[in-house]
């Protein structure tokens, strides 16, 4: 999920592969954190299927209505259940708090299976970022802030 190129050993983009870009910045108005995936050539049907599955998981959580007092730990499975139906999962949290001028991953809230029980509240900024990673094949994550 978090590829870090090594000097002289960075992966080269190849026809048929996907490029995952996780970027963001800190500005006077707030912090950004966004992930997108681009195809280096026309996407295969498998790539489109996996991307669409991740997008469906993202939308499921982004559009979820929940009562006051609900924690990120309770909401994590909303996105994952879309993945689970397809026999997929990911090994990172579904979302994290985002600060301003501090750390982009900032609590007290998180959306993850083993997160704190801190309820989400109005005014909290959180990412939603389900993904799928198939070793040696591809990685797909779609991340937005809410």
């Amino acid at each position: 999920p978090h590829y870090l190129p090594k000097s002289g050993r960075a992966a080269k983009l190849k026809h048929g592969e996907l490029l995952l870009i996780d970027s963001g910045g800190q500005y006077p108005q707030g912090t950004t954190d966004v992930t997108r995936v681009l195809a280096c050539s026309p996407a295969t049907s498998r790539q489109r299927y996996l991307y669409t599955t991740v997008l469906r998981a993202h939308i499921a959580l982004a559009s979820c209505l929940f009562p006051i007092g609900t924690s990120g730990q309770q909401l994590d499975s909303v996105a994952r259940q879309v993945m689970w139906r397809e026999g997929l999962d990911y090994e990172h949290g579904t979302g994290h708090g985002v600060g301003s001028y501090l750390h982009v991953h900032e609590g007290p809230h998180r959306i993850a299976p083993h997160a704190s029980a801190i309820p989400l509240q109005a005014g909290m900024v959180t990412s939603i970022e389900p993904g799928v990673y198939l070793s040696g094949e591809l990685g797909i994550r779609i991340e937005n802030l809410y």
Side-chain angles (χ1 to χ4, degrees):
H2 296 103
Y3 170 75
L4 181 61
K6 294 179 177 58
S7 181
R9 296 179 49 214
K12 295 188 188 314
L13 299 177
K14 298 177 189 147
H15 185 82
E17 292 185 340
L18 301 176
L19 173 62
L20 186 151
I21 302 170
D22 185 349
S23 77
Q26 294 184 312
Y27 305 94
Q29 298 82 6
T31 300
T32 65
D33 190 12
V34 63
T35 303
R36 293 294 183 265
V37 175
L38 304 171
C40 295
S41 58
T44 67
S45 60
R46 178 164 170 76
Q47 289 169 337
R48 287 191 306 271
Y49 159 76
L50 291 169
Y51 183 92
T52 301
T53 301
V54 172
L55 179 60
R56 287 177 38 240
H58 187 107
I59 291 169
L61 184 51
S63 62
C64 180
L65 298 176
F66 53 89
I68 292 172
T70 302
S71 71
Q73 187 171 5
Q74 293 171 292
L75 292 173
D76 184 74
S77 64
V78 172
R80 285 186 198 273
Q81 57 94 17
V82 174
M83 307 297 291
W84 293 337
R85 280 192 208 129
E86 305 301 324
L88 301 167
D89 202 357
Y90 45 97
E91 295 183 12
H92 58 77
T94 300
H96 57 82
V98 178
S100 179
Y101 287 111
L102 296 172
H103 195 276
V104 69
H105 291 207
E106 183 178 309
H109 59 290
R110 263 186 95 207
I111 302 173
H114 305 293
S116 71
I118 301 293
L120 297 177
Q121 299 175 27
M124 288 180 162
V125 176
T126 186
S127 70
I128 296 177
E129 52 184 291
V132 62
Y133 312 91
L134 304 175
S135 185
E137 185 179 348
L138 57 76
I140 296 170
R141 180 168 66 248
I142 302 171
E143 177 183 21
N144 287 332
L145 298 183
Y146 295 86

